[in-house]
Amino acid sequence: MLFITGTDTGVGKTYVSSILGNILNNQTKQIIRPTYPVKPFSGNKQTVKNGVVFTIGHGNKDLYVVTDPQCPFCQRFEKLAEKAHLADKYTIHIIFMPLSFHKHSEAMIYYILSANTNQEKAKRFKEILDGGDAWSKFTPTAKEKENIDKMISKSEKAATELGARGTP
């Protein structure tokens, strides 16, 4: 996936676009490969760690994923990550960033984060990604909602610290 940034001069808004597939150089007919920053993360690592809501996998390297359980692109990424066995290669730290235009995202997150263990949270997350609707029948208690709202707030701060402007 290649992310392109630019400015829409018609209304002056900055946007980010995703292009799935390959982009070819018209002259050489070679695939243009995106380059990524090679400098290490210089932000507040503790803020990012505090925003992790659960972890999947047991690999030697860490991967922080900013996601929204209702986001179709996030769902596609999670399925590709599962197929590629990323959890065998990485310890995947999930950071939730509920997008305002996903009207069920918050309810899904309450359902996921009300689980008591890391494994149960991962199981509920996968269940939702696979199309399950148990989340729609769940209502958190006032205390659960208060605790989860604090977790979501920390997660959103982590996403901001990482420079995420959207998901995945």
Side-chain angles (χ1 to χ4, degrees):
M1 187 177 300
L2 174 65
F3 293 97
I4 300 175
T5 61
T7 302
D8 178 356
T9 56
V11 285
K13 293 185 178 179
T14 301
Y15 62 91
V16 175
S17 299
S18 300
I19 299 173
L20 301 175
N22 294 322
I23 299 175
L24 299 178
N25 179 312
N26 284 335
Q27 294 176 339
T28 66
K29 304 300 182 206
Q30 298 294 313
I31 295 173
I32 298 172
R33 304 265 182 223
T35 57
Y36 300 98
V38 292
K39 65 180 183 175
F41 176 68
S42 62
N44 187 322
K45 292 177 184 174
Q46 193 59 50
T47 298
V48 174
K49 287 180 182 181
N50 290 344
V52 172
V53 292
F54 65 94
T55 300
I56 302 169
H58 51 274
N60 294 332
K61 295 182 181 180
D62 292 309
L63 178 64
Y64 292 84
V65 178
V66 175
T67 189
D68 175 331
Q70 193 178 357
C71 168
F73 298 106
C74 299
Q75 291 170 354
R76 188 178 316 157
F77 170 79
E78 296 298 335
K79 289 187 187 310
L80 290 171
E82 185 177 0
K83 187 176 182 180
H85 303 284
L86 288 186
D88 294 334
K89 303 169 191 165
Y90 297 91
T91 300
I92 304 169
H93 305 282
I94 302 297
I95 296 171
F96 280 141
M97 184 172 143
L99 301 174
S100 61
F101 51 87
H102 290 150
K103 66 180 183 174
H104 301 298
S105 178
E106 193 172 84
M108 292 173 170
I109 291 172
Y110 285 139
Y111 173 71
I112 294 165
L113 297 183
S114 68
N116 292 322
T117 67
N118 197 56
Q119 290 176 325
E120 182 64 23
K121 289 174 187 175
K123 180 181 171 192
R124 289 182 180 195
F125 184 54
K126 183 174 177 359
E127 173 189 307
I128 288 171
L129 295 177
D130 289 341
D133 68 348
W135 63 269
S136 67
K137 300 166 187 74
F138 175 78
T139 304
T141 65
K143 186 67 174 166
E144 283 175 324
K145 187 175 180 331
E146 180 183 337
N147 290 335
I148 293 169
D149 284 343
K150 289 177 187 175
M151 293 168 71
I152 293 170
S153 177
K154 288 180 183 178
S155 208
E156 288 174 329
K157 286 178 185 173
T160 299
E161 190 67 29
L162 288 167
R165 294 177 289 183
T167 60

